[in-house]
Structure formats: C-alpha cells, structure tokens
Amino acid sequence: MAERMSLREAISGYVTDGATVAMEGFTHLIPFAAGYEVIRQRRRDLTLIRMTPDVIYDQLIGAGCARRLIFSWGGNPGVGSLHRLRDAVEHGWPQPLELLEHSHAGLASAYVAGAEHLPFAVLRGYAGSDLPRYNDDIRFIRCPFTDEELAAVRAVQPDVTIIHAQKADRKGNVLLWGILGVQKEAALAARHTIVTVEEIVDDLGAWPNAALLPAWIVSAICEVPGGAHPSYAQGYYERDNRFYQAWDAIARDRQTFQAWLQRHVLDTADYAEFSRVLGETQAVAGAEGTAAP
Amino acid sequence: MAERMSLREAISGYVTDGATVAMEGFTHLIPFAAGYEVIRQRRRDLTLIRMTPDVIYDQLIGAGCARRLIFSWGGNPGVGSLHRLRDAVEHGWPQPLELLEHSHAGLASAYVAGAEHLPFAVLRGYAGSDLPRYNDDIRFIRCPFTDEELAAVRAVQPDVTIIHAQKADRKGNVLLWGILGVQKEAALAARHTIVTVEEIVDDLGAWPNAALLPAWIVSAICEVPGGAHPSYAQGYYERDNRFYQAWDAIARDRQTFQAWLQRHVLDTADYAEFSRVLGETQAVAGAEGTAAP
Amino acid sequence: MTTPDSSQDYTASEMMTITAARLLKNGMSCFVGIGLPSLAANLARLTHAPDLVLIYESGPIGAKPRVLPLSIGDGELAETADTIVATPEIFRYWLQGGHIDVGFLGAAQIDRFGNLNTTVIGPYDQPKVRLPGAGGAPEIAGSARRVFVMLRQSARAFVPKLDFITSVGYLDGGDARARLGLTGAGPVAIITDLCVLEPEPPSHEFVVTSIHPGVTRERIVAATGWPIRFAATARATEPPSEAELRTLRELQQRGGAAHGEG
Amino acid sequence: MTTPDSSQDYTASEMMTITAARLLKNGMSCFVGIGLPSLAANLARLTHAPDLVLIYESGPIGAKPRVLPLSIGDGELAETADTIVATPEIFRYWLQGGHIDVGFLGAAQIDRFGNLNTTVIGPYDQPKVRLPGAGGAPEIAGSARRVFVMLRQSARAFVPKLDFITSVGYLDGGDARARLGLTGAGPVAIITDLCVLEPEPPSHEFVVTSIHPGVTRERIVAATGWPIRFAATARATEPPSEAELRTLRELQQRGGAAHGEG
C-alpha cells in the first residue's frame, strides 16, 4: 500500500547497492529528481533498465552508479550522443559498463512479460539482426501450432521501478496521461514501485479508462514538483530542450561533467536545492549567452 | 478507411456464409442490432467467436446461423442458461453446434495474439483443467529461458469483427469508454471491422489516452442508436435487465423463441422497425404484468 | 462485532454470505464473480473492510457499487471504479501478474480436493446438462493468491468424482497441485449454506472446520457426496450480527429494486 | 505541383527531404522516427498528403504537430494526436499487427542490400564508436509494409560491409529476406542528398533510379563505398516546387524557434 514519504526516504528504503532498477518514462515524465537522489546517495553496482537511457542514465552512469545497462536506444533525443554512456562503453570510465541490448519492441515486450508474470514474451522481431548474437536474453522459438519461428525475450523484473506521474490522491492512487511509455508495465513488473508526482490532490478527476495505478500496487509516493525536468510533464511544464542541448557540452568532457555533478547534485541536499542551484547556473549562462543548463 | 453505410449494407458486404465472425462487447456495448441484421439476412454456417455468447449469440444460434462457436462463458449473465445454445449443444437443434471452448484468460489472450499478428499467445493457464483435452487450440510449451511449462493458445483472426461504440466522428474515428472488453483486440485482429455507433458527431471530444479506433482501421461505420440494447451504452442508456430476465422464458421453448424471432427480427425491415415492434410487445407485456421483453 | 440478537431470524443463504464476507480482510484485492461472491465482497466492503479492492473480470478495478450488479459488467461497476482496463489486461497484468489476493469461485460440482466443474454434467460430447463453461475460473484458481469457493451444499454438487475438471483445486491431493507449478495457493475455504470446509494437510482433502448455527453433522453428511470428515477443531460459526444482517438486506433490496424484481 | 523557379536556391538537404515527402501518399499510415523522417512526413502532410497518419514510437497515433518535435515524445505530438497508446501497444498491436504502411529509417551505415547499422562502429565488444543502438528499427524494418531509408550519402555511410547488422534490408540479397518470413516487404527506396536508390530484382541490390538536379554520376560514385550501379531508367529528380520549399522552410523555422535555436 502506497506510503507517502520524502524522496530521500524512498530511495534509501528501496534502492540498494546491486539492485536492478528501472526508471521509465518515454521522453515524457522521466524521473530525473529520483535519479539525482540515487546519485546523491552514492548507490553502486546497479543494473539499470530503461528503453531510452536519455540524459538521466548518462548522469547515473557518469556518476559511477551502474554496472550493467539493459536498454534499446541510448542517445540524447534530438541532440546526439550520450557522452557518459559512450565513455563507459568505449573507455570503461568511470568503470566498465556491461550492455544487454534490445530493440524497442523487444524491451517493451520484456516489460510486458514482467508485468504478466511470464518468464518470456514472444514477438516478431530481431530476424536477421546481429543483436541476438550479443544478447542471450533473445532466443528463437517455434509456434506449437504453425511451427513458425518467432523471437522470444526474457522478462525483465526490476527490484524497483521508479516513475514520475502528474498526480496522486491522498490514498496514493496515481494518475498519468499523455505519452505513457512502458510505465505501467514497469511498475507491475517490479517488486517495489516508487512514484514521484507533480502534486498530491484530493480528487484525481480521472476520466474513464484513465491510466491509473492503484495505491495498493505502489510502494512509495513522493511529492516532487518539477521532478521530471528537463523532460516534461504534460499539463504542468514543457520539455526543456535547451537543457538537452546544453547537456551535450557538459557531458562531452569528464571534468565539466564532474564539476556539474558536484555542484548540482552531490553538493545539494535535495531536489529543491538542486533546482535552486540549477536556476542560478542557468541565469548566469543566460546572461553570458552560453549554453549551460 | 471507414465508410459510412447502413447496417444492412455493412452486413451484406462483409458477412458472408461460412465466415468467422466476432461480435464483442463484455456485457457493455454488445452489438445486438448487428446480430439481428445477420439473422435477417439469413447468414449460415458462421463460426462465431465471443468470450460471453450472451443473448446475442443465443439468438444467432437459435436462428440457425452458426456452425461453430468459439467462446469462454456461455450463460445469460445474472439470469441463468442460454437455452438456445444448450438446445443446440444438447440436442442439435436447429442444427449441431461445434464448440471450441476456452477460459476467459485463454480467449482474451487468443484475441491479443490475433491483434499482435502472432500465431499464438502464451499464458499461465489451463493447468490441471480438462479443457485442453477437448480443444486442440490449447497446447503447452516450454520457456526457452527457464524451461518452465506454460499454456499456449492459437490466435483468433476473425474475417469480420463487429462492435458497438458510443461515438464516431465524421471521418470515422471511433470512441468508446467504460467497460472495454476485448473490442480493440478483436477489431485489430480482424480482416474487416464493422462498427455500429450511438451517434456520429463533429468532434469526439476524446480525453488523453482514450480508447479510440482510428478511421483507417475501420471498414464500415453504421449509425444505429440504441443498437446495443438490451446491453447498455455508458452515457446513453442502462442495461435492460428486464429483457435479460424475460429472455429466459422466451428462449426456453423452441416455439416461443421462433415466434419472437419471426415477429421481431425476420418480419421487420431493419433495426428501427425492430425497436418499434419490440416497444409494442413490451407495452402489452407491461399492461398484462407479464415479463415479455 | 455486536452480539447478535438470538431471536433474530436469518436464512442459511444469509449465513453463507456473511461467513464468506468475514473471510475478506480490509485492504485485500479481490477478484469477484457475479452472484454470491459479489454479494459477499460488497457486504465485507460495507462492514469491516471498507478498503477492500473489488476487481471484476470485465475490467473495473476498485469498483464500489452502491447497487449490486446483475451482470459482471453493469454500468454501476464502471462508474464507481477507480479505473477500468481492457479484459486482456485484467487477466494478464492483474490476475496472472500476481496482484490478486483473493479469488472467489462458484461451481456446479466440487470434489473433496476442491476441484471445480462449471462445464458439463455427463460426457463432454454427449452432455446431459451443458453448463456455461469456464469463464475466468481456471486462471483465478491458478493465479489468485488464495481462493474461496461459495457453493450451496448438496450431494448433487459435492460429488465423489467430477464429470469434468474445469478449474483445479488440489487435483487428487497431496502435492499434486504443487507439481503443476501454479503461482496461487489454491482453495483455502469452501463456504456453504451449512458450514465452512478447509483443506487438511498433507492430503488437502476438505474437512468441515466450522458449522453454521442450527445445522447438524448428519445434515452435512447427507448433503455431501463423499464421506465427509469433521476437523477435530471444528467449531460453531458465529451467527450473523445485527449490523451484518441489516447491511446485507439493504444491499439486496437496493439490488432487487434496481433490477426490476419485487 | 507548380513549376519551380529555376533561379530558386535550395540545399541538397532540402531536396532530400522533399523527395522523401513525395513518396508518401495521402492516407498512408507512417511510422516516423525523429529528425529527417519526421520533417519529411510532416512536409507531406502539409502539402499533398493531408490525411497522412503519423505514428510515433512513443505512442501518439495520428499526430499533427504544428511545430516539429525535437524528441520522439514531445508534448506537441501528444497534444495533437487522435490518441496516445502505451509503447508496448504501438509496437505489438500497431506495427507488428500489420497496420503500418510505411516505416522511415535512418542509419549510420548502410550496405548495398539496404541492411542498416545503428549500433556500433568497430567490433561490438571493442567499439570505435558506440552508436545509440536499435530503437524501433529492427521491427520497423521487418513489419512495416514498406520501408524508406533517409541517409546522407558518403563513402563512410554507404559501406561494402556493415560492422553490425542492426536492422535487415535484403541481407545478402536474392531471396534471403523472403526466407526470414518477415511480414513487410523491406526497404523500397533509399533517399539521399544526392539521389534515390531502389532495389533491383532479383538480387535486390540498390541501384540509382533518380538523380537530384545538379548532381553528377561521378559524385554519387565517389560517395558510395561499393561499386554503385545506375538503373537504365535512371531519371532526374524533379526540383523542389516553390510551395514545397516554402512549406518546408516554414516548418523548420517554427521548429527552430520553438527549440531555442537561432
């Protein structure tokens, strides 16, 4: 049953060193604030799962939290490379990163299998691709009726799934809308689910058939307004495309990245302070006409 | 691309003798008007698919339209038996009915496989049940990762799926809400989809993540207000529980059933006339205090 | 629970519903079939378990019907639910996914190991009575954490051997169910109009553990098609409280009025 | 299409986008990746194909963005879509389900049979350049009825042999793709900044079928890492019309302004 707590408590309670953690949100509602808190608490050896690692995992990987990454597309959307991800893969910095690599269809299906409590999912996929040669969680099976060959992917079952949503009510029921990604599947597949929300309200005002996670399948609810920045929360704020663009320069260089991380994440107590410091950085960058987030 | 036409045209154009037809709607939005039109056009040898055959298939089976039934629960919900279904199975009247019988989870999964263009679906199901002994479309397979045994069901892929929805817009986009059943899966699994709707509007006014079928996957749109009676259309009318209760007496006896069918369906030109005649019958029954629908 | 008024009358059916309702704990998620299970679950929700989560196979999650539904998909369920998901999702994500604490089942026939028949009386291909069939039962029986069965007790229903196994209890007992690899524990109680039966380890044969007021052991024996046994610890079922009875009757009256009965 | 003003200037990139847009027919359903494919698809929608259905892998179906999205999941896509479904549904019901007429792909490397690499330059375990990876491409390549590839032409990108096959075209040609049992026909055109290439039966090797204005055959040969061939029927690409250019530029200006460029 959903328990309301601070983000610090939620991360320290549910995310342990070595855990398998999924932080989902397809471009929309990415739980950045939770990512910063994981970095701040210096978690290590995590297996990170996420279809699109995005800047959030670039930060976690660069901060040395991850040992392994299960993913399907690792770029900075609309901008280019994830430099910290590349540095870990290409040069083992700050430590080597083991990759378990899918296509979107494959990893989305693996989440579905996790939510369905099945050990695998079947899809028309990967035929002719080299991916199955490097990922043993992709195999091929035959249809018991037609003998047709189809791909199978092993289910993903995170220890903890972390998502960000627009609203929760006081009971802990969670409502999200807009681009939904695989959040519901990731939540249902996990042993524990942490949800950060823009706000906690008396009445969700949900429409019929809304994407709602009932309180009784959520472990922790944390009110973290703005917690999806620089991604967006439909109905609350837009995507901060300038941050994504500015990230390219910050992350390209190890020192710049480390300085940014130290100042914004490691030297701040929580997301509120992070936001204050980030606001100062951005104000300075704006005045100088440079592109720092 | 959705073409607007009369229900008569839609049935005559898409439902042929011998076709495999799914008419879905889980208690809610059952396409009764379309069922009457199939009976009126005296279609024969249909394979009918439906999770809950309900009164709509009791009528089609009693009228001699069906050769085969793929289903998972065949009762009159909240009332008792489907007497025409039982008569066909127990006594071969008006003709034998071949059964292909699933559980809800199995048939829902078979629709999902159809929608996913997979030849089968995997589920945790049927273990220890006698059902697989009588349905060759249920088999068991092993997980390629864990070697665990799981059930597999063959996909259903109707020639035609018929559903009823609340609204369509003038382009043919269809909106439904409330209890959704397997309508989307049945529509996406089929070669052709006929949708009857309560009304055609300028603007659907759909909320985010609404259950919407875009015009380009729908074959025919027919405006048939009240077309889900005696089931219900949320936002339009409630379930006519009296009809379901009265149906028990009508369907229990072959002659009563045939007289009802003749008067209400075969002797009426279309659903508008059917509704008029049914209104008369119900007024008389109401005055007499009897329970005819 | 208030002390019942001993002069109070109640039916065996009411005792059965109230006994089932008492087994549901607050906060549980409960996969509900129509009829008696729905009545019992809503009674529990309106008495001691206000946060009981009702899930109907038609898709509503967290339904809070004010009027008892006649069908499994009445508008009342949809309108009072926290949300409504498509039927494949209910079965695949919620039931199979392992999120259901209690599944409620009925049957036409049950055997001593809690296996259920809702398919056919007589041979499958030459049925004497064709029953509605499986519905959600086989997977509820397999995947709900625990299962409660509600069934009026009679020798016709409580049979030595099923004509057809639609949904499994403990198969032929012992570790037979465990060997199937099912994720749920199986039936933990059969609630009848006469008594409550529970599986006795290690055989998992159902034995009587609680006898409703005014019911004799002889009557239970006569209403059971196999040589029924009584647990050494078998006790008397607590009679309905006034509050339980009043709430149950109000619930049924609202349902009857809404569905055009009486 | 209006006659272009011959004095009009346009870039090779604009010619490429406009050529791709022209291949999209009104009413088609189009699975769109971000960047050039999204630009081309929206150009088509705003010119000759107003009922083109744009589907983004993040979930929006029937998106009609007024401003070009920077990411695959911008709010603009969600707000203008007919509906938005979850990501598993997009891939499993809509793409795999067989409802996508056209899939649009890009790549870092392509070979003569239209196979694509978006995974790695160099060995997989010792990458020279780690690329973003597969994304939706492998299944778009397999399940969309037909695939268009957009890619700037250079000998670095148009290589004799891929370092990694992320998504299949015709594998090693002939009936190799057919033997995979894929439901889609595969890549039917590669649109570059220099020309259009199409697969030539029966080998399915891509050959040049249309050359953009002002581009020489020598330049195409130099920009291709294998001995590229020209179809006997190779023709000149029709230059951009004024309307195409104006619409494209307006679209890009709105996008640039919205994303804080310029």
Side-chain angles (χ1 to χ4, degrees), chain A residues 57-102:
Chain A
Y57 277 12
D58 210 37
Q59 294 168 339
L60 281 153
I61 292 164
C65 302
R67 186 182 63 75
R68 193 163 178 249
L69 175 68
I70 302 178
F71 78 112
S72 46
W73 190 84
N76 179 342
V79 177
S81 288
L82 293 174
H83 299 291
R84 295 296 97 228
L85 166 56
R86 282 186 57 181
D87 203 9
V89 174
E90 295 171 11
H91 310 110
W93 191 94
Q95 63 189 63
L97 182 69
E98 186 188 333
L99 297 184
L100 204 67
E101 185 164 3
H102 277 285

Side-chain angles (χ1 to χ4, degrees), chain C residues 131-248:
Chain C
L131 302 167
E139 287 74 25
I140 295 171
S143 292
R145 289 206 181 90
R146 61 188 80 81
V147 169
F148 297 149
V149 181
M150 290 184 79
L151 191 57
R152 290 200 171 77
Q153 202 157 351
S154 75
R156 272 182 60 191
F158 284 64
V159 298
K161 189 171 164 38
L162 301 183
D163 292 350
F164 190 99
I165 300 180
T166 311
S167 307
V168 292
Y170 300 98
L171 281 178
D172 44 2
D175 66 348
R177 180 185 173 96
R179 277 184 278 115
L180 289 178
L182 298 168
T183 53
V188 296
I190 302 169
I191 303 101
T192 83
D193 47 344
L194 306 181
C195 64
V196 176
L197 301 91
E198 295 176 61
E200 188 181 62
S203 75
H204 293 100
E205 178 176 331
F206 275 85
V207 299
V208 176
T209 55
S210 184
I211 302 174
H212 298 342
V215 176
T216 62
R217 293 193 172 209
E218 293 66 33
R219 192 156 154 225
I220 293 173
V221 168
T224 311
W226 69 81
I228 184 81
R229 293 189 296 113
F230 293 77
T233 55
R235 54 188 179 77
T237 310
E238 192 178 352
S241 75
E242 203 188 307
E244 286 170 332
L245 266 183
R246 190 182 57 243
T247 309
L248 173 59

Side-chain angles (χ1 to χ4, degrees), chain A residues 208-209, chain B residues 24-33 163-168 174-180 183 195-199 207 224-241 244 271, chain C residues 71 73-76 78-79 84:
Chain A
N209 312 117
Chain B
E24 276 296 348
F26 203 121
T27 312
H28 180 216
L29 296 173
I30 301 178
F32 271 93
I163 62 170
H164 187 79
Q166 280 107 330
K167 291 184 197 180
V174 172
L175 177 66
L176 56 166
W177 67 88
I179 288 177
L180 301 174
Q183 278 101 307
V195 184
T196 60
V197 294
E198 287 298 322
E199 58 174 339
W207 37 83
V224 188
H229 174 274
S231 80
Y232 72 107
Q234 197 171 338
Y236 290 82
Y237 44 90
E238 297 197 345
R239 193 170 190 264
D240 185 354
N241 285 325
Y244 275 95
Y271 190 63
Chain C
S71 85
D74 275 22
E76 179 72 9
E79 286 158 22
I84 310 157

Side-chain angles (χ1 to χ4, degrees), chain C residues 17-18 21 38-48 244 247-248 251:
Chain C
T17 304
I18 288 166
S38 180
L39 186 59
N42 278 291
L43 175 60
R45 189 174 60 78
L46 294 171
T47 53
H48 64 281
E244 286 170 332
T247 309
L248 173 59
L251 194 55

Side-chain angles (χ1 to χ4, degrees), chain B residues 180-233:
Chain B
L180 301 174
V182 292
Q183 278 101 307
K184 183 188 268 192
E185 288 75 15
L188 291 175
R191 286 204 300 135
H192 302 289
T193 298
I194 299 171
V195 184
T196 60
V197 294
E198 287 298 322
E199 58 174 339
I200 291 174
V201 298
D202 289 330
D203 181 3
L204 290 175
W207 37 83
N209 312 117
L212 184 141
L213 296 177
W216 50 279
I217 64 120
V218 173
S219 310
I221 297 273
C222 315
E223 193 171 23
V224 188
H229 174 274
S231 80
Y232 72 107

Side-chain angles (χ1 to χ4, degrees), chain D residues 40-51:
Chain D
N42 278 291
L43 176 60
R45 190 173 60 78
L46 294 172
T47 53
H48 65 281
D51 291 327

Side-chain angles (χ1 to χ4, degrees), chain D residues 35-89:
Chain D
L36 286 176
S38 180
L39 185 59
N42 278 291
L43 176 60
R45 190 173 60 78
L46 294 172
T47 53
H48 65 281
D51 291 327
L52 189 70
V53 179
L54 305 193
I55 296 167
Y56 287 80
E57 65 191 17
S58 57
I61 295 178
K64 294 164 275 290
R66 295 147 297 199
V67 171
L68 273 187
L70 181 70
S71 86
I72 200 81
D74 274 22
E76 179 73 10
L77 298 176
E79 286 158 24
T80 63
D82 290 328
T83 191
I84 309 156
V85 301
T87 300
E89 183 179 326

